[in-house]
């Protein structure tokens, strides 16, 4: 049951698709308090053993208790443990225990969630703006609450199937030949690959919707040459539009008044990659339609996917900030730099980027309503992606286009996925990736993933292998790294065989993963869940943070520590342990409910098949275009009749509800023997009980 409460005059965020009338009565489940300073906040008393789920793209664990988080989309590439904000703002959480309650604070400005940080059992939610909507969801457990919430916010974005292939990125691929070289190395080593990303260097002077003619002289032919090799190119689009006379996007935006404004009506200026830029006013319908229509330029060249970046929006500096810095430097005593002024100086320079003061200094025209940016800050990346998503509906109505964003708010999940921004090549960030995936799913971001191998810092071979062994289960599976870091394409390390093995397993799993992904999207469900969602009565499951359920059939137990030779796992029921060592080598053994230590060598992938479930596998190939889904191998863990329904479609059109999209794999009994029955060819059945 969902109840809505409305305070003041909230700004419409478009997060919710179901209109429910606001309650007239006082709120019951939470205490609404006004502090002595006049701030409005909500409190809820948590029981000692309540678990708090949610918050989507946020730091720390699956259980959010014990820390303080701030929803304020932040361009901060150093996600150390103390950080309170990351790139997304996903204000949905669930307190789950004897009583279960879902809370969605629908407001586009900053919100603070103190989840037992100040007082151990007190959840305190402080919206920075008194005008907000609050949704309270009662349900039969956390999972039920998530499903109700997901109905409220609408169907998640559906990616094309090729986007389940492995994707390679690096900030610095500069020209056609560099990309050709990457593809050649993958193909020569027979390591599967479906896409290569084009980071900012493909553009002419970092100008959106341009392609450097010098470095990509025959772009359309190049796109098609890559496509013939089964490779899609995915260009980045940044939020800031370069200020340059004669550049059409700049000229049009200025002429039609489509950029964010300063109080005096001039266009707001911030420095990003190209130097000075204007920010399109994505809160304005005309600006969205205009910017969205520009993607056509690249679609026409044969491009089928995009990543929207720097859309918090990220700012290196503003003109005002630079002016203040110059003033400060004039009076600075460079002859006597000591502890006092040294840190002042460095903080001042670092502090030029993404200043709160700057976010408070420009304005949007929300179709007639003038709103200061910080009041709607968390909607900016959402609306950039919405601009693209809505445009694709017109430009290519029958085709799915890959789209994901760095910054997001709930509601954006209907237009695109997300990647989790600039992580680091740290083992702790592999673990953060594991813990974040179910929380993202709760908030509707099903097509998501992290920069595998880590964006910042230098990656090691073992970290990349372990990360990929987890990443093969995330819908977006992309290796991406920053300019200046060690090369981390899969062929760069000594043993490309291990990389090939892991990625080949990904391709064997694509029919299953795609099926579970599509079911999650089509039924407003989750693809990646914490254990407790399917084993609600199993107390230990509530505290497992490093094992996940992926779809209905499997549990995964990734290794995330350097030099580990295996790990402890907890099985909430008897399961079949499948140790994938290479495409031709695997061992299976039944393990009983309880705690076990399992060996997992670097390069291996441990998978547990749940009771009365099966895992269909197809033959591994080097790109999704070559997948043959007419033949399957089945690994089943059952001693009785059962069925797995696989969702399958052409992977690019939008006919999701066709009856033929559902394929049955049944284990049936015949003359006392269990066997497999399906319209697909079953090349092998491995049955365990
Ligand atoms: C941002 C993005 C990163 C990208 C870089 C250059 O830091 O998060 O993925 O590589 O910009 O475009």
């Amino acid at each position: 049951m969902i109840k809505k409460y409305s305070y003041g005059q909230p700004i419409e965020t478009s997060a919710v698709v179901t209109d429910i009338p606001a309650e007239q009565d006082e709120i019951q489940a939470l205490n609404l308090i006004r502090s002595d300073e006049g701030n409005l906040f909500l409190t809820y008393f948590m029981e000692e053993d309540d678990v708090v789920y949610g918050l989507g793209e946020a730091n720390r664990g699956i259980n959010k208790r014990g820390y303080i988080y701030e929803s304020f989309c932040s361009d901060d590439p150093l996600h150390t443990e103390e950080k309170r904000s990351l790139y997304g703002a996903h204000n949905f959480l669930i307190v789950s225990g004897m009583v279960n309650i879902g809370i969605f604070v629908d407001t586009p400005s900053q919100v603070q969630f103190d989840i037992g940080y100040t007082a151990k059992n007190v959840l305190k939610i402080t919206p920075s703006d008194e005008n907000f909507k609050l949704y309270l969801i009662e349900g039969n457990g956390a999972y039920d609450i998530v499903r109700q919430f997901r109905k409220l916010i609408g169907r998640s974005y559906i990616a094309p199937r090729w986007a389940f292939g492995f994707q390679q990125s690096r900030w610095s691929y500069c020209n056609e030949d560099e990309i050709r070289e990457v593809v050649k190395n993958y193909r020569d080593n027979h390591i599967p690959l479906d896409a290569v990303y084009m980071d900012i260097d493909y553009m002419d002077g970092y100008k959106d919707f341009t392609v450097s003619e010098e470095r990509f002289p025959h772009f359309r032919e190049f796109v098609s040459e890559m496509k013939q090799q089964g490779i899609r190119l995915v260009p980045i689009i940044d939020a800031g539009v370069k200020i340059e006379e004669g550049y059409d996007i700049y000229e049009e935006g200025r002429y039609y008044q489509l950029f964010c404004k300063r109080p005096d009506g001039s266009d707001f200026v911030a420095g990003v990659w190209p130097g000075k830029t204007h920010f399109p006013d994505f809160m304005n319908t005309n600006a969205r339609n205009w910017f969205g229509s520009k993607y056509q330029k690249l679609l026409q060249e044969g491009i089928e996917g995009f990543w929207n970046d720097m859309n918090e929006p990220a700012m290196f500096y503003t003109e005002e900030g630079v002016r203040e810095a110059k003033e400060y430097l004039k009076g600075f005593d460079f002859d006597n730099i000591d502890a006092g002024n040294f840190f002042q100086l460095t903080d001042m320079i670092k502090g030029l980027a993404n200043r709160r003061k700057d976010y408070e200094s420009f304005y949007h025209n929300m179709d007639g309503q003038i709103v200061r940016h910080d009041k709607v800050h968390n909607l900016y990346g959402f609306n950039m992606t919405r601009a693209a998503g809505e445009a694709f509906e017109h430009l290519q109505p029958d085709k799915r286009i890959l789209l994901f964003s760095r910054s997001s708010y709930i509601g954006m999940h209907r237009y695109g996925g997300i990647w989790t921004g600039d992580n680091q090549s740290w083992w702790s960030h592999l673990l953060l990736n594991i813990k974040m995936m179910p929380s993202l799913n709760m908030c509707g971001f099903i097509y998501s993933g992290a920069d595998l191998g880590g964006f910042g810092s230098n990656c090691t071979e073992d970290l990349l292998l372990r990360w990929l062994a987890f990443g093969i289960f995330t819908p977006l599976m992309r290796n991406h790294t920053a300019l200046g870091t060690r090369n981390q394409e899969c062929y760069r390390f000594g043993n490309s065989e291990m990389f090939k093995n892991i990625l080949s397993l990904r391709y064997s799993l694509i029919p299953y993963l795609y099926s579970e992904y599509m079911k999650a999207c089509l039924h407003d469900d989750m693809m990646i869940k914490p254990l407790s969602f399917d084993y609600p009565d199993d107390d230990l499951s509530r505290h497992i943070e490093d094992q996940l359920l992926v779809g209905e059939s499997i549990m995964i137990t990734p290794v995330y520590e350097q030099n580990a030779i295996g790990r402890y796992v907890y099985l909430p029921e008897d399961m079949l342990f499948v140790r994938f060592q290479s495409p031709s080598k695997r061992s299976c053994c039944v393990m009983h409910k309880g705690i076990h230590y399992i060996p997992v060598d670097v390069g291996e992938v441990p998978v547990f098949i749940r009771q009365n479930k099966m895992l269909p596998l197809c033959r591994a190939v080097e790109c999704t275009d070559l997948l043959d889904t007419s033949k399957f191998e089945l690994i089943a863990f059952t001693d009785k009749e059962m069925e797995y329904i696989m969702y399958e479609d052409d992977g690019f059109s939008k006919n999701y509800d066709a009856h033929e999209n559902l394929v049955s794999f049944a284990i049936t009994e015949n003359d006392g023997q269990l066997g497999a029955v399906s319209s697909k060819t079953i090349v092998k059945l491995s049955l365990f009980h």
Side-chain angles (χ1 to χ4, degrees), residues 72-76 87 238-241 260 268-272 277-283 309-318 352-356 358-360 362 364 373-374 376-382 384 406-408:
F72 192 78
C73 298
S74 299
D75 163 36
D76 180 349
Y87 301 93
D238 285 318
V241 169
C260 295
F268 175 72
V269 179
V272 203
T277 66
H278 291 320
F279 289 141
D281 187 354
F282 293 119
M283 304 306 297
D309 192 21
M310 305 298 271
N311 51 8
E312 292 71 29
M315 303 186 260
F316 299 160
Y317 61 86
T318 57
L352 280 179
N354 306 319
R355 296 193 313 172
R356 186 60 74 103
D358 291 326
Y359 287 129
E360 290 167 5
F362 65 94
H364 299 275
H373 174 77
D374 60 309
V376 289
H377 174 76
N378 290 339
L379 295 181
Y380 192 74
F382 166 4
M384 176 184 183
R406 191 169 75 173
S407 180
S408 60

Side-chain angles (χ1 to χ4, degrees), residues 219-220 223 293-304 306 395-396:
F219 190 58
R220 189 174 295 194
V223 174
S293 71
K294 301 298 172 195
Y295 286 77
Q296 174 73 341
K297 289 187 174 207
L298 290 158
L299 291 173
Q300 275 168 345
E301 304 291 303
I303 292 298
E304 296 172 64
F306 300 89
L395 299 170
Q396 305 225 335

